[in-house]
Coordinates of all heavy atoms in Angstrom, one line a residue:
M1 N 180.8 121.6 112.9 CA 182.1 120.8 113.0 C 181.8 119.4 112.8 O 182.5 118.7 112.2 CB 182.7 121.1 114.4 CG 184.0 120.4 114.6 SD 185.2 121.2 113.5 CE 186.7 120.5 114.2
I2 N 180.7 118.9 113.4 CA 180.3 117.5 113.2 C 180.0 117.2 111.8 O 180.4 116.1 111.3 CB 179.0 117.2 114.1 CG1 179.3 117.3 115.6 CG2 178.5 115.8 113.8 CD1 180.4 116.4 116.1
T3 N 179.4 118.1 111.0 CA 179.1 117.9 109.6 C 180.4 117.7 108.8 O 180.5 116.8 108.0 CB 178.3 119.0 109.0 OG1 177.1 119.2 109.8 CG2 177.9 118.7 107.6
L4 N 181.4 118.5 109.1 CA 182.7 118.4 108.4 C 183.4 117.0 108.7 O 184.0 116.4 107.9 CB 183.7 119.5 108.9 CG 183.3 120.9 108.4 CD1 184.2 121.9 109.0 CD2 183.2 121.0 106.9
I5 N 183.3 116.6 110.0 CA 183.8 115.2 110.3 C 183.0 114.1 109.6 O 183.6 113.2 109.1 CB 183.8 115.1 111.9 CG1 184.8 116.0 112.5 CG2 184.1 113.6 112.2 CD1 184.7 116.1 114.0
Q6 N 181.7 114.3 109.5 CA 180.9 113.3 108.8 C 181.3 113.3 107.3 O 181.4 112.2 106.7 CB 179.5 113.6 108.9 CG 179.0 113.3 110.3 CD 177.5 113.8 110.6 OE1 177.0 114.7 109.8 NE2 176.9 113.2 111.5
I7 N 181.5 114.4 106.7 CA 181.9 114.5 105.3 C 183.3 113.8 105.1 O 183.5 113.1 104.2 CB 181.9 115.9 104.8 CG1 180.5 116.5 104.7 CG2 182.6 116.1 103.4 CD1 180.4 118.0 104.5
A8 N 184.2 114.1 106.0 CA 185.6 113.5 105.9 C 185.5 112.0 106.1 O 186.2 111.3 105.4 CB 186.5 114.1 107.0
T9 N 184.6 111.5 107.0 CA 184.4 110.1 107.2 C 183.9 109.4 105.9 O 184.4 108.4 105.5 CB 183.5 109.8 108.4 OG1 184.1 110.5 109.5 CG2 183.4 108.3 108.6
V10 N 182.9 110.1 105.3 CA 182.4 109.5 104.0 C 183.5 109.5 102.9 O 183.6 108.5 102.2 CB 181.2 110.4 103.5 CG1 180.8 110.0 102.1 CG2 180.0 110.2 104.5
L11 N 184.2 110.5 102.8 CA 185.3 110.6 101.8 C 186.4 109.5 102.1 O 186.9 108.9 101.2 CB 186.0 112.0 101.8 CG 185.1 113.1 101.2 CD1 185.7 114.4 101.3 CD2 184.7 112.7 99.7
L12 N 186.7 109.3 103.4 CA 187.7 108.3 103.7 C 187.1 106.9 103.4 O 187.9 106.0 103.0 CB 188.0 108.4 105.2 CG 188.9 109.6 105.6 CD1 189.0 109.6 107.1 CD2 190.3 109.5 105.0
N13 N 185.8 106.7 103.6 CA 185.2 105.4 103.3 C 185.3 105.2 101.8 O 185.5 104.1 101.3 CB 183.8 105.4 103.7 CG 183.6 105.0 105.2 OD1 184.5 104.4 105.8 ND2 182.6 105.5 105.8
L14 N 185.0 106.3 101.0 CA 185.1 106.2 99.5 C 186.5 105.8 99.1 O 186.7 104.9 98.2 CB 184.7 107.5 98.9 CG 184.7 107.6 97.4 CD1 183.7 106.6 96.8 CD2 184.5 109.0 96.9
V15 N 187.5 106.4 99.7 CA 188.9 106.1 99.3 C 189.2 104.7 99.7 O 189.9 103.9 99.0 CB 189.9 107.1 100.0 CG1 191.3 106.6 99.9 CG2 189.7 108.5 99.5
W16 N 188.7 104.2 100.9 CA 188.9 102.8 101.3 C 188.4 101.9 100.3 O 189.0 100.9 99.9 CB 188.3 102.6 102.7 CG 188.6 101.4 103.3 CD1 189.7 101.1 104.1 CD2 187.9 100.1 103.3 NE1 189.7 99.8 104.6 CE2 188.6 99.2 104.0 CE3 186.7 99.7 102.6 CZ2 188.1 97.9 104.2 CZ3 186.3 98.4 102.7 CH2 187.0 97.5 103.5
W17 N 187.1 102.1 99.8 CA 186.5 101.2 98.8 C 187.2 101.2 97.5 O 187.4 100.2 96.8 CB 185.0 101.5 98.7 CG 184.2 100.9 99.8 CD1 183.6 101.5 100.8 CD2 184.0 99.5 100.0 NE1 183.0 100.6 101.6 CE2 183.3 99.4 101.2 CE3 184.4 98.3 99.3 CZ2 182.8 98.1 101.7 CZ3 184.0 97.1 99.8 CH2 183.2 97.0 100.9
I18 N 187.7 102.4 97.1 CA 188.5 102.5 95.8 C 189.7 101.6 95.9 O 190.1 100.9 95.0 CB 188.8 104.0 95.5 CG1 187.5 104.7 95.1 CG2 189.9 104.1 94.4 CD1 187.7 106.2 94.9
I19 N 190.4 101.7 97.0 CA 191.6 100.9 97.2 C 191.3 99.4 97.2 O 192.0 98.6 96.6 CB 192.4 101.4 98.5 CG1 192.9 102.8 98.3 CG2 193.5 100.4 98.8 CD1 193.5 103.4 99.5
V20 N 190.2 99.0 97.9 CA 189.9 97.6 98.0 C 189.5 97.1 96.6 O 190.0 96.0 96.2 CB 188.7 97.4 99.0 CG1 188.1 96.0 98.8 CG2 189.2 97.6 100.4
V21 N 188.8 97.9 95.8 CA 188.4 97.4 94.5 C 189.7 97.4 93.6 O 189.8 96.4 92.8 CB 187.4 98.4 93.8 CG1 187.2 98.2 92.3 CG2 186.0 98.3 94.6
Q22 N 190.6 98.3 93.8 CA 191.8 98.3 93.0 C 192.7 97.1 93.3 O 193.3 96.4 92.5 CB 192.6 99.6 93.2 CG 193.7 99.8 92.3 CD 195.1 99.5 92.9 OE1 195.2 99.4 94.1 NE2 196.0 99.2 92.0
I23 N 192.7 96.7 94.6 CA 193.5 95.5 95.0 C 192.9 94.3 94.4 O 193.6 93.4 93.9 CB 193.5 95.4 96.6 CG1 194.3 96.5 97.2 CG2 194.0 94.0 97.0 CD1 194.2 96.6 98.7
I24 N 191.6 94.1 94.5 CA 190.9 92.9 94.0 C 191.1 92.9 92.4 O 191.4 91.8 91.9 CB 189.4 92.9 94.3 CG1 189.2 92.7 95.8 CG2 188.6 91.9 93.6 CD1 187.8 93.0 96.4
L25 N 190.9 94.0 91.8 CA 191.1 94.0 90.3 C 192.5 93.6 89.9 O 192.8 92.9 89.0 CB 190.7 95.4 89.7 CG 190.8 95.5 88.2 CD1 189.7 94.6 87.6 CD2 190.5 96.9 87.8
S26 N 193.5 94.2 90.7 CA 194.9 93.8 90.4 C 195.2 92.4 90.6 O 196.0 91.7 89.8 CB 195.8 94.7 91.3 OG 195.7 96.0 90.9
L27 N 194.6 91.8 91.7 CA 194.8 90.3 91.9 C 194.2 89.5 90.8 O 194.8 88.5 90.3 CB 194.2 90.0 93.2 CG 195.0 90.4 94.5 CD1 194.2 90.1 95.7 CD2 196.4 89.7 94.5
L28 N 193.0 89.9 90.4 CA 192.3 89.2 89.3 C 193.1 89.2 88.0 O 193.2 88.3 87.2 CB 190.9 89.7 89.1 CG 189.9 89.4 90.2 CD1 188.6 90.1 89.9 CD2 189.7 87.9 90.3
I29 N 193.7 90.4 87.7 CA 194.6 90.5 86.5 C 195.9 89.7 86.7 O 196.3 89.0 85.8 CB 194.9 92.0 86.2 CG1 193.6 92.7 85.8 CG2 196.0 92.2 85.2 CD1 193.7 94.2 85.7
A30 N 196.5 89.8 87.9 CA 197.7 89.1 88.1 C 197.6 87.6 88.0 O 198.4 86.9 87.5 CB 198.3 89.4 89.5
F31 N 196.4 87.0 88.4 CA 196.2 85.6 88.4 C 195.5 85.2 87.1 O 195.0 84.1 86.9 CB 195.4 85.1 89.6 CG 196.2 85.1 90.8 CD1 195.9 86.0 91.9 CD2 197.3 84.3 91.0 CE1 196.6 86.0 93.0 CE2 198.0 84.3 92.1 CZ 197.7 85.1 93.2
N32 N 195.4 86.1 86.2 CA 194.8 85.9 84.8 C 193.4 85.4 84.8 O 193.0 84.7 84.0 CB 195.7 84.9 84.0 CG 195.8 85.3 82.6 OD1 195.3 86.4 82.2 ND2 196.3 84.4 81.8
V33 N 192.6 85.9 85.8 CA 191.2 85.6 85.9 C 190.5 86.4 84.9 O 189.6 86.0 84.2 CB 190.6 85.7 87.3 CG1 189.1 85.5 87.3 CG2 191.3 84.8 88.3
I34 N 190.9 87.7 84.8 CA 190.4 88.6 83.8 C 191.6 89.2 83.1 O 192.7 89.2 83.7 CB 189.5 89.7 84.4 CG1 190.2 90.5 85.5 CG2 188.2 89.2 84.9 CD1 189.4 91.7 86.0
N35 N 191.5 89.7 81.9 CA 192.6 90.2 81.2 C 192.4 91.7 80.8 O 191.2 92.1 80.7 CB 193.1 89.4 80.1 CG 192.0 89.2 79.0 OD1 191.3 90.1 78.7 ND2 191.9 88.0 78.4
T36 N 193.4 92.3 80.5 CA 193.3 93.8 80.1 C 193.1 93.9 78.6 O 193.1 95.1 78.1 CB 194.6 94.5 80.5 OG1 195.7 93.9 79.9 CG2 194.8 94.6 82.0
Y37 N 192.8 92.8 77.9 CA 192.4 93.0 76.5 C 191.0 93.6 76.4 O 190.6 94.2 75.4 CB 192.5 91.7 75.8 CG 193.9 91.1 75.6 CD1 194.2 89.9 76.1 CD2 194.9 91.9 75.0 CE1 195.5 89.4 76.1 CE2 196.2 91.4 74.9 CZ 196.5 90.2 75.4 OH 197.8 89.7 75.3
N38 N 190.2 93.4 77.4 CA 188.9 93.9 77.5 C 189.0 95.4 77.8 O 189.7 95.8 78.7 CB 188.1 93.2 78.6 CG 186.6 93.7 78.7 OD1 186.3 94.9 78.5 ND2 185.8 92.7 79.0
D39 N 188.4 96.2 76.9 CA 188.5 97.7 77.1 C 188.0 98.2 78.4 O 188.6 99.1 79.0 CB 187.7 98.4 75.9 CG 188.4 98.2 74.6 OD1 189.6 98.0 74.6 OD2 187.7 98.3 73.6
F40 N 186.9 97.7 78.9 CA 186.3 98.1 80.2 C 187.3 97.8 81.3 O 187.5 98.6 82.2 CB 185.0 97.5 80.5 CG 184.4 97.8 81.8 CD1 183.9 99.1 82.1 CD2 184.4 96.9 82.8 CE1 183.4 99.4 83.3 CE2 183.9 97.2 84.1 CZ 183.4 98.4 84.3
V41 N 187.8 96.6 81.3 CA 188.7 96.2 82.4 C 190.0 97.0 82.4 O 190.5 97.5 83.4 CB 189.1 94.7 82.3 CG1 190.2 94.3 83.2 CG2 187.9 93.8 82.5
R42 N 190.5 97.3 81.2 CA 191.7 98.1 81.0 C 191.5 99.5 81.5 O 192.3 100.1 82.2 CB 192.2 98.1 79.6 CG 193.5 98.8 79.4 CD 194.1 98.7 77.9 NE 193.1 99.1 76.9 CZ 192.6 98.2 76.1 NH1 192.9 96.9 76.2 NH2 191.7 98.5 75.2
S43 N 190.4 100.1 81.1 CA 190.1 101.5 81.4 C 189.8 101.6 82.9 O 190.2 102.6 83.6 CB 189.0 102.1 80.6 OG 187.8 101.4 80.9
L44 N 189.1 100.6 83.5 CA 188.9 100.6 85.0 C 190.2 100.5 85.7 O 190.4 101.2 86.7 CB 187.9 99.5 85.3 CG 187.5 99.4 86.8 CD1 186.8 100.6 87.3 CD2 186.7 98.1 87.0
H45 N 191.0 99.6 85.3 CA 192.3 99.4 85.9 C 193.2 100.6 85.9 O 193.8 101.1 86.9 CB 193.0 98.2 85.3 CG 194.3 97.8 86.0 ND1 194.5 97.6 87.3 CD2 195.6 97.7 85.4 CE1 195.7 97.3 87.6 NE2 196.4 97.4 86.5
Q46 N 193.3 101.2 84.7 CA 194.1 102.5 84.5 C 193.5 103.6 85.3 O 194.2 104.4 85.9 CB 194.1 102.8 83.0 CG 195.0 101.9 82.2 CD 194.9 102.2 80.7 OE1 194.1 103.0 80.3 NE2 195.8 101.6 80.0
G47 N 192.2 103.7 85.4 CA 191.6 104.8 86.2 C 191.8 104.6 87.7 O 192.2 105.6 88.4
L48 N 191.7 103.4 88.1 CA 192.0 103.2 89.6 C 193.5 103.4 89.9 O 193.8 103.9 91.0 CB 191.6 101.8 90.0 CG 190.0 101.5 90.0 CD1 189.7 100.1 90.2 CD2 189.4 102.4 91.0
E49 N 194.3 103.0 89.0 CA 195.8 103.2 89.1 C 196.1 104.7 89.3 O 196.9 105.2 90.1 CB 196.6 102.6 88.0 CG 196.6 101.1 88.0 CD 197.7 100.6 89.0 OE1 198.7 101.2 89.1 OE2 197.4 99.5 89.5
K50 N 195.4 105.5 88.4 CA 195.7 107.0 88.4 C 195.1 107.6 89.7 O 195.7 108.6 90.2 CB 195.0 107.6 87.2 CG 195.8 107.4 85.9 CD 195.1 108.1 84.8 CE 195.9 107.8 83.5 NZ 195.4 108.4 82.3
L51 N 194.1 107.0 90.2 CA 193.5 107.6 91.5 C 194.4 107.2 92.7 O 194.6 108.0 93.6 CB 192.1 107.0 91.7 CG 191.0 107.6 90.9 CD1 189.7 106.9 91.2 CD2 190.8 109.1 91.3
T52 N 194.9 106.0 92.7 CA 195.6 105.5 93.9 C 197.1 105.7 93.9 O 197.7 105.7 94.9 CB 195.3 104.0 94.1 OG1 195.7 103.3 92.9 CG2 193.9 103.7 94.4
E53 N 197.7 105.9 92.7 CA 199.1 106.1 92.7 C 199.7 107.2 93.5 O 200.7 107.1 94.2 CB 199.6 106.2 91.2 CG 201.1 106.3 91.0 CD 201.8 105.0 91.5 OE1 201.3 103.9 91.5 OE2 203.0 105.2 92.0
P54 N 199.0 108.4 93.5 CA 199.5 109.5 94.3 C 199.5 109.2 95.8 O 200.3 109.7 96.6 CB 198.6 110.7 94.0 CG 198.0 110.4 92.7 CD 197.9 108.9 92.6
I55 N 198.6 108.3 96.2 CA 198.5 107.9 97.6 C 199.6 106.9 97.9 O 200.3 107.0 99.0 CB 197.2 107.3 97.9 CG1 196.0 108.3 97.7 CG2 197.1 106.8 99.4 CD1 194.7 107.7 97.7
Y56 N 199.9 106.0 97.0 CA 200.9 105.0 97.2 C 202.4 105.5 97.1 O 203.2 105.0 97.8 CB 200.7 103.8 96.2 CG 199.4 103.1 96.3 CD1 198.9 102.4 95.3 CD2 198.7 103.1 97.5 CE1 197.8 101.7 95.3 CE2 197.5 102.4 97.6 CZ 197.0 101.7 96.5 OH 195.9 101.0 96.6
R57 N 202.6 106.4 96.2 CA 203.9 106.9 95.9 C 204.8 107.2 97.1 O 205.9 106.7 97.2 CB 203.9 108.0 94.9 CG 205.3 108.3 94.3 CD 205.2 109.4 93.2 NE 204.2 109.1 92.2 CZ 203.1 109.9 91.9 NH1 202.9 111.0 92.5 NH2 202.3 109.5 90.9
P58 N 204.3 108.1 98.0 CA 205.2 108.4 99.2 C 205.5 107.2 100.1 O 206.5 107.1 100.7 CB 204.4 109.5 100.0 CG 203.2 109.8 99.1 CD 203.1 108.8 98.0
I59 N 204.5 106.3 100.2 CA 204.7 105.1 101.0 C 205.7 104.2 100.4 O 206.5 103.6 101.0 CB 203.3 104.4 101.3 CG1 202.5 105.4 102.1 CG2 203.5 103.1 102.0 CD1 201.0 105.0 102.2
R60 N 205.6 104.0 99.0 CA 206.6 103.2 98.3 C 208.0 103.7 98.5 O 209.0 102.9 98.4 CB 206.2 103.1 96.9 CG 205.0 102.2 96.6 CD 204.6 102.1 95.2 NE 203.5 101.3 95.0 CZ 202.6 101.4 94.0 NH1 202.7 102.4 93.2 NH2 201.5 100.6 94.0
R61 N 208.2 105.0 98.6 CA 209.5 105.5 98.8 C 210.1 105.1 100.1 O 211.3 105.0 100.3 CB 209.5 107.0 98.7 CG 209.4 107.5 97.3 CD 209.6 109.0 97.2 NE 208.7 109.6 96.2 CZ 207.9 110.6 96.4 NH1 208.0 111.3 97.5 NH2 207.1 111.0 95.5
V62 N 209.3 105.0 101.1 CA 209.7 104.7 102.5 C 209.8 103.2 102.7 O 210.8 102.7 103.4 CB 208.7 105.3 103.5 CG1 209.1 104.9 104.9 CG2 208.7 106.8 103.4
L63 N 208.9 102.4 102.2 CA 208.9 100.9 102.4 C 210.1 100.3 101.7 O 210.5 100.7 100.6 CB 207.6 100.3 101.9 CG 206.4 100.5 102.8 CD1 205.2 99.8 102.1 CD2 206.6 99.9 104.1
P64 N 210.7 99.2 102.2 CA 211.7 98.5 101.5 C 211.1 97.7 100.3 O 209.9 97.5 100.3 CB 212.3 97.6 102.5 CG 211.3 97.4 103.6 CD 210.5 98.7 103.6
D65 N 211.9 97.3 99.4 CA 211.5 96.6 98.2 C 211.2 95.1 98.6 O 212.1 94.5 99.1 CB 212.5 96.7 97.1 CG 212.0 96.0 95.8 OD1 210.8 95.9 95.7 OD2 212.8 95.7 95.0
F66 N 210.0 94.7 98.4 CA 209.6 93.3 98.7 C 209.5 92.5 97.5 O 208.8 91.4 97.5 CB 208.3 93.2 99.5 CG 208.5 93.8 100.9 CD1 208.0 95.0 101.2 CD2 209.1 93.0 101.9 CE1 208.1 95.5 102.5 CE2 209.2 93.5 103.2 CZ 208.7 94.8 103.5
G67 N 210.0 92.9 96.4 CA 209.9 92.2 95.1 C 208.6 92.4 94.5 O 208.2 93.6 94.3
Q68 N 207.8 91.4 94.2 CA 206.6 91.5 93.5 C 205.4 91.9 94.4 O 204.3 92.2 94.0 CB 206.2 90.2 92.8 CG 207.2 89.9 91.7 CD 207.0 90.9 90.5 OE1 206.0 91.3 90.2 NE2 208.2 91.2 89.9
I69 N 205.6 91.8 95.7 CA 204.6 92.1 96.7 C 204.6 93.6 97.0 O 205.6 94.2 97.4 CB 204.7 91.3 97.9 CG1 204.7 89.8 97.6 CG2 203.6 91.6 98.9 CD1 205.0 88.9 98.7
D70 N 203.4 94.3 96.9 CA 203.3 95.7 97.2 C 202.5 95.9 98.5 O 201.3 95.6 98.5 CB 202.7 96.4 96.0 CG 202.6 97.9 96.2 OD1 203.3 98.4 97.1 OD2 201.9 98.6 95.5
F71 N 203.1 96.3 99.5 CA 202.4 96.5 100.8 C 201.9 97.9 101.0 O 201.2 98.1 102.0 CB 203.4 96.1 102.0 CG 203.6 94.7 102.1 CD1 204.9 94.2 101.8 CD2 202.6 93.8 102.6 CE1 205.1 92.8 101.9 CE2 202.9 92.5 102.7 CZ 204.1 92.0 102.4
S72 N 202.1 98.8 100.0 CA 201.6 100.1 100.2 C 200.1 100.2 100.3 O 199.6 101.0 101.1 CB 202.1 101.0 99.1 OG 201.8 100.6 97.8
P73 N 199.3 99.4 99.6 CA 197.8 99.5 99.8 C 197.4 99.1 101.3 O 196.5 99.7 101.9 CB 197.2 98.5 98.8 CG 198.2 98.4 97.8 CD 199.5 98.6 98.4
A74 N 198.1 98.1 101.8 CA 197.8 97.7 103.2 C 198.1 98.9 104.2 O 197.4 99.1 105.1 CB 198.6 96.5 103.6
V75 N 199.3 99.5 103.9 CA 199.7 100.6 104.8 C 198.6 101.8 104.7 O 198.3 102.4 105.7 CB 201.1 101.1 104.4 CG1 201.4 102.4 105.2 CG2 202.1 100.0 104.7
V76 N 198.2 102.0 103.5 CA 197.2 103.1 103.3 C 195.9 102.7 104.0 O 195.3 103.6 104.7 CB 196.9 103.4 101.8 CG1 195.8 104.3 101.6 CG2 198.2 104.0 101.2
L77 N 195.4 101.5 103.9 CA 194.2 101.1 104.5 C 194.3 101.2 106.1 O 193.3 101.6 106.7 CB 193.8 99.6 104.1 CG 193.4 99.5 102.6 CD1 193.1 98.0 102.3 CD2 192.2 100.3 102.4
I78 N 195.4 100.8 106.6 CA 195.6 100.9 108.1 C 195.6 102.4 108.5 O 195.0 102.8 109.5 CB 196.9 100.2 108.5 CG1 196.8 98.7 108.3 CG2 197.3 100.6 109.9 CD1 198.1 97.9 108.4
G79 N 196.3 103.2 107.7 CA 196.3 104.6 108.0 C 194.9 105.2 107.9 O 194.5 106.1 108.7
L80 N 194.1 104.8 106.9 CA 192.7 105.3 106.8 C 191.9 104.9 108.0 O 191.1 105.7 108.5 CB 192.1 104.8 105.5 CG 192.5 105.4 104.2 CD1 191.9 104.7 103.0 CD2 192.2 106.9 104.2
Q81 N 192.1 103.7 108.5 CA 191.3 103.2 109.7 C 191.7 104.1 110.9 O 190.9 104.4 111.7 CB 191.6 101.8 109.9 CG 190.9 100.9 109.0 CD 189.4 101.0 109.0 OE1 188.8 101.5 108.0 NE2 188.7 100.6 110.0
I82 N 193.0 104.4 111.0 CA 193.5 105.2 112.2 C 192.9 106.6 112.1 O 192.4 107.1 113.1 CB 195.0 105.2 112.2 CG1 195.6 103.8 112.6 CG2 195.5 106.3 113.2 CD1 197.1 103.7 112.4
V83 N 192.9 107.2 110.9 CA 192.3 108.5 110.8 C 190.8 108.5 111.1 O 190.3 109.4 111.8 CB 192.6 109.1 109.4 CG1 191.8 110.3 109.1 CG2 194.1 109.3 109.2
Q84 N 190.1 107.4 110.7 CA 188.7 107.3 110.9 C 188.4 107.2 112.4 O 187.5 107.8 113.0 CB 188.1 106.2 110.2 CG 187.8 106.5 108.7 CD 187.1 105.4 108.0 OE1 187.2 104.2 108.3 NE2 186.2 105.8 107.1
M85 N 189.3 106.4 113.1 CA 189.1 106.3 114.6 C 189.3 107.6 115.3 O 188.6 108.0 116.2 CB 190.1 105.2 115.1 CG 189.7 103.8 114.7 SD 190.9 102.6 115.1 CE 191.6 103.0 116.7
V86 N 190.3 108.4 114.9 CA 190.6 109.7 115.4 C 189.4 110.6 115.2 O 189.0 111.3 116.1 CB 191.9 110.3 114.9 CG1 192.1 111.7 115.3 CG2 193.1 109.4 115.4
L87 N 188.9 110.7 114.0 CA 187.8 111.5 113.7 C 186.6 111.1 114.5 O 185.8 112.0 114.9 CB 187.5 111.5 112.2 CG 188.4 112.2 111.2 CD1 188.0 112.0 109.8 CD2 188.4 113.7 111.6
G88 N 186.3 109.8 114.7 CA 185.2 109.4 115.5 C 185.4 109.8 116.9 O 184.4 110.2 117.5
N89 N 186.6 109.7 117.5 CA 186.8 110.2 118.8 C 186.6 111.7 119.0 O 186.1 112.2 119.9 CB 188.2 109.8 119.3 CG 188.3 108.3 119.6 OD1 187.3 107.6 119.8 ND2 189.5 107.8 119.5
V90 N 187.1 112.5 118.0 CA 186.9 113.9 118.0 C 185.4 114.2 117.9 O 184.9 115.1 118.7 CB 187.7 114.6 116.8 CG1 187.3 116.0 116.7 CG2 189.1 114.5 117.0
A91 N 184.7 113.6 117.0 CA 183.2 113.8 116.9 C 182.5 113.5 118.2 O 181.6 114.2 118.7 CB 182.6 113.0 115.8
N92 N 182.9 112.4 118.8 CA 182.3 111.9 120.1 C 182.6 113.0 121.2 O 181.7 113.3 122.0 CB 182.8 110.6 120.5 CG 182.0 110.0 121.7 OD1 180.9 110.3 121.9 ND2 182.7 109.1 122.4
S93 N 183.8 113.4 121.3 CA 184.1 114.4 122.3 C 183.4 115.7 122.1 O 183.1 116.4 123.0 CB 185.6 114.6 122.4 OG 186.1 115.2 121.3
I94 N 183.2 116.1 120.8 CA 182.5 117.4 120.5 C 181.0 117.2 121.0 O 180.4 118.1 121.6 CB 182.6 117.7 119.0 CG1 184.0 118.2 118.7 CG2 181.6 118.8 118.7 CD1 184.3 118.4 117.3
Q95 N 180.4 116.1 120.7 CA 179.0 115.9 121.0 C 178.8 115.8 122.5 O 177.8 116.3 123.0 CB 178.5 114.6 120.3 CG 178.3 114.7 118.9 CD 177.8 113.4 118.2 OE1 178.0 112.4 118.8 NE2 177.1 113.6 117.1
T96 N 179.7 115.1 123.2 CA 179.5 115.0 124.7 C 180.1 116.1 125.4 O 179.8 116.3 126.6 CB 180.2 113.7 125.2 OG1 181.6 113.7 124.9 CG2 179.5 112.5 124.5
G97 N 180.9 117.0 124.8 CA 181.6 118.1 125.5 C 182.7 117.7 126.3 O 183.3 118.4 127.1
A98 N 183.2 116.4 126.2 CA 184.3 115.9 127.0 C 185.6 116.4 126.3 O 185.7 116.6 125.1 CB 184.3 114.4 127.0
P99 N 186.7 116.6 127.1 CA 188.0 117.0 126.5 C 188.6 115.8 125.7 O 188.3 114.6 125.9 CB 188.8 117.3 127.7 CG 188.2 116.6 128.8 CD 186.8 116.5 128.5
L100 N 189.4 116.1 124.7 CA 190.0 115.1 123.9 C 191.0 114.4 124.7 O 191.3 113.3 124.7 CB 190.7 115.7 122.7 CG 189.8 116.3 121.6 CD1 190.6 117.1 120.6 CD2 189.0 115.3 121.0

């Protein structure tokens, strides 16, 4: 059981980093620091968008429209932290034998 929790934690960390990289890349593109005329930047941006869009879509349906500001990545990052905390508590209670 602990191994499954560790695998889930690693996967959650991977998703967290993918979202952070996507946020930074989107900001760099928005502020015209880098542009999408570069094939590598464009393919990286499109790949990250395809990975993160299914995660953001349900949150965007619930959140109100804030214009150009998208808060769905922040909501996902907060949700990931909460899930990681819960998994950590479950792993700790399994190791110590304490009730949840």
Side-chain angles (χ1 to χ4, degrees):
M1 184 70 166
I2 296 296
T3 305
L4 293 176
I5 293 174
Q6 290 171 338
I7 291 170
T9 303
V10 168
L11 291 175
L12 289 172
N13 281 331
L14 179 65
V15 171
W16 190 86
W17 279 108
I18 288 171
I19 291 172
V20 168
V21 169
Q22 192 259 341
I23 291 169
I24 292 170
L25 185 65
S26 294
L27 286 173
L28 290 174
I29 290 171
F31 288 114
N32 215 11
V33 175
I34 57 176
N35 60 37
T36 55
Y37 294 122
N38 184 322
D39 288 335
F40 175 74
V41 172
R42 183 175 51 252
S43 63
L44 180 63
H45 182 57
Q46 289 173 349
L48 291 173
E49 289 280 326
K50 287 182 181 180
L51 283 174
T52 57
E53 184 60 32
I55 300 170
Y56 297 156
R57 193 177 305 122
I59 295 168
R60 286 180 179 148
R61 283 189 219 134
V62 175
L63 285 178
D65 186 21
F66 291 104
Q68 294 293 323
I69 301 173
D70 185 15
F71 287 109
S72 56
V75 172
V76 171
L77 290 177
I78 291 169
L80 287 173
Q81 287 300 112
I82 291 170
V83 170
Q84 282 185 327
M85 287 171 41
V86 169
L87 286 176
N89 288 338
V90 168
N92 189 28
S93 68
I94 288 172
Q95 285 180 338
T96 60
L100 292 174

